[in-house]
Amino acid sequence: MAIKHILKLIMKQKSISVLITLQIAIAVTIIGNTSFISYRTLQNWLIPSHIAEQQIVNVYTRVFDKNVDKGALIERDLQSLKLISGVESVSYAANELVLATVNGRNFAHATLDTDNQGENVALFAQTPGAVETLGIRVIQGRSFYDTDYIFGNSNQDQRASVVMISDDLAKALFPQQSALGQTLYLHNNRIPYQVIAVYENMMLGEVAAYTNSWYHSAIIPEAHFSTNSQVNYLLKVSKNTDKSVFDTIENTLFEEEGRIVQQVEFAARAKKRLWDGRSTFAFIMIGISGIAILVTGVGIIALVSFSISVRKKEIGVLRALGASQARVMKTLLLENTLLAVVGIAIGLFSALWLNQYFVTNLRIQGLIVPWLAAVVALCVWLLSAIAVYIPARKAANISPAQVTKTS
C-alpha cells in the first residue's frame, strides 16, 4: 500500500489521527521523564561513598536539663567514649553527622561576590579526633595542629582560621589553580578560612548528596555548642565491630544526668535511609509510567476501534475488491506507525524541554539518557502497534457481504 494512499486515509480522519498522535506524544513525555528520573535516582546506589560505612558511628543525644554545663559535659563524654573497647577515635559533631543532616544547607564561596551562590558543601565543624574518625586521607597540605582548634559556646565570637576541603570541592572552587593557601568563605556571613589541605573525595553530608554534590565537603577545626538541645558525636570503631557496641555507648552516655540518647547507628544505616527516600521516589515515578502506559494503550484501542467502526464500509469495499485480511491489517498498522512516529518525535522534544525545566528550576535529578530515550520510543511504538492490532484484526475479519449489502 502506497504511503500516499495511507496519508489520504489519515487526512480523511483528521480528528482521530490528531488525538492518537497527541496521546502517544503525551505518553512519551510522561514515560520519558519518569524513566530518566527513576534511572538517575536508582543509579545513586552505585555511587561509592569512599567512607568506612561499617566503622563510623553517628550518636544523637539531647540535653533536656538547661542547667547542665554543656562544655564540661562534652569534654567528659569525649573522654568516656574513648575508653570504650573497640572505639578507635571520637569527635564532637557540631554541625553534621555522616550522611545524616543536623543543620541546614551550607555553601562555600571562593570570593566575596554576593551574586555568586557558591558550592553546596557538607560542613563538618569538629573537635580533635575528627580527621581520624572520618578517615580523612590528605593528598595535599597538612592536617590540623592542636593550636588550630577552637571549642566553646556559640555565643562567643571565636572562629578557626583554617579549613580542609575535598578534592572535588577544591576543583569546583579553584579550577585554574591550586586550592592550597587560597581563602575560602563559609557560613551566611562569609567568614574567611585559609585552605591548608585537600583530601581524597568522600561522601559525607546528606545535604551535599541531595544536591548531587557528592563529594563536596569541608572540615573546620572549630566546634561550638549552642543553646539548643542537640549534642552529637562521631565515633570510629574497629573493623568487624558489631552492633553490641551501641549498647555500651548508650550506657556510657546514660551515666551523665540531664540528657537522653536518641539514636546510635552506623553510617551505613544513615546512607541506606538517605537512598531509601530517593528509591521510593523512583518507584513512584515507575508507577506513574505504568499508569501512563495503561491509559495510552486503552486510549489507542478505543480511538482505533471507533475509527474502524466509522470506516467499516470502506474496509468492506476493500475486501470485496480483493484485498486480503493481511493487506487490511498492514494498512492499519502502517497508518498507526506514521502517527506513532510523529507522536514519538513530539513527545521526545517535550520530554527534553520538560526535563531541562525540572533540572534547572526544581533541582530534580534526571538528565536525558540517549539509550533510555530510544528504549522509551521503541516501547511506546510497540505499545501502540499492539493496541492497534486488536481492533485491526477484528476489522480484517469483516465480511465484505456484511458491509456492502444494501438495506
Side-chain angles (χ1 to χ4, degrees), residues 201-268:
N201 289 327
M202 304 172 69
M203 188 185 294
L204 296 177
E206 179 182 7
V207 170
Y210 259 110
T211 55
N212 308 325
S213 306
W214 310 110
Y215 305 119
H216 283 196
S217 60
I219 303 170
I220 49 178
E222 66 180 53
H224 297 99
F225 52 91
S226 61
T227 55
N228 66 35
S229 59
Q230 292 177 343
V231 175
N232 305 298
Y233 301 98
L234 292 176
L235 287 77
K236 184 176 183 182
V237 298
S238 304
K239 287 184 178 179
N240 302 319
T241 300
D242 59 34
K243 292 182 180 180
S244 62
V245 74
F246 294 171
D247 292 331
T248 307
I249 293 171
E250 290 184 16
N251 292 334
T252 299
L253 294 174
F254 273 131
E255 292 177 4
E256 292 282 352
E257 296 183 354
R259 62 107 168 275
I260 59 173
V261 180
Q262 285 187 297
Q263 191 174 12
V264 181
E265 65 178 8
F266 282 120

Side-chain angles (χ1 to χ4, degrees), residues 148-150 158-163 191-193 220-222 224:
D148 289 327
Y149 286 95
I150 300 293
Q158 293 178 299
R159 294 289 182 181
S161 59
V162 295
V163 63
I191 298 172
Y193 294 84
I220 49 178
E222 66 180 53
H224 297 99

Side-chain angles (χ1 to χ4, degrees), residues 46 129 175 246 302 382:
L46 304 177
F246 294 171
L382 287 173

Side-chain angles (χ1 to χ4, degrees), residues 163-323:
V163 63
M164 301 171 67
I165 63 177
S166 65
D167 189 34
D168 251 23
L169 181 59
K171 291 175 180 176
L173 291 172
F174 309 103
Q176 305 299 326
Q177 55 191 319
S178 171
L180 290 182
Q182 300 294 333
T183 299
L184 186 69
Y185 300 92
L186 299 171
H187 310 295
N188 292 333
N189 47 350
R190 304 203 181 191
I191 298 172
Y193 294 84
Q194 184 184 33
V195 178
I196 62 164
V198 176
Y199 54 85
E200 290 183 8
N201 289 327
M202 304 172 69
M203 188 185 294
L204 296 177
E206 179 182 7
V207 170
Y210 259 110
T211 55
N212 308 325
S213 306
W214 310 110
Y215 305 119
H216 283 196
S217 60
I219 303 170
I220 49 178
E222 66 180 53
H224 297 99
F225 52 91
S226 61
T227 55
N228 66 35
S229 59
Q230 292 177 343
V231 175
N232 305 298
Y233 301 98
L234 292 176
L235 287 77
K236 184 176 183 182
V237 298
S238 304
K239 287 184 178 179
N240 302 319
T241 300
D242 59 34
K243 292 182 180 180
S244 62
V245 74
F246 294 171
D247 292 331
T248 307
I249 293 171
E250 290 184 16
N251 292 334
T252 299
L253 294 174
F254 273 131
E255 292 177 4
E256 292 282 352
E257 296 183 354
R259 62 107 168 275
I260 59 173
V261 180
Q262 285 187 297
Q263 191 174 12
V264 181
E265 65 178 8
F266 282 120
R269 179 68 187 90
K271 181 186 176 185
K272 183 179 184 302
R273 188 169 59 249
L274 169 66
W275 297 139
D276 280 348
R278 288 190 158 202
S279 60
T280 299
F281 175 71
F283 290 131
I284 290 173
M285 293 293 100
I286 293 172
I288 292 173
S289 294
I291 294 172
I293 289 171
L294 179 63
V295 171
T296 300
V298 172
I300 292 175
I301 290 174
L303 287 170
V304 174
S305 297
F306 176 73
S307 173
I308 288 173
S309 68
V310 172
R311 298 157 59 185
K312 186 180 290 187
K313 189 168 185 178
E314 179 184 325
I315 293 171
V317 170
L318 285 174
R319 295 279 285 115
L321 291 174

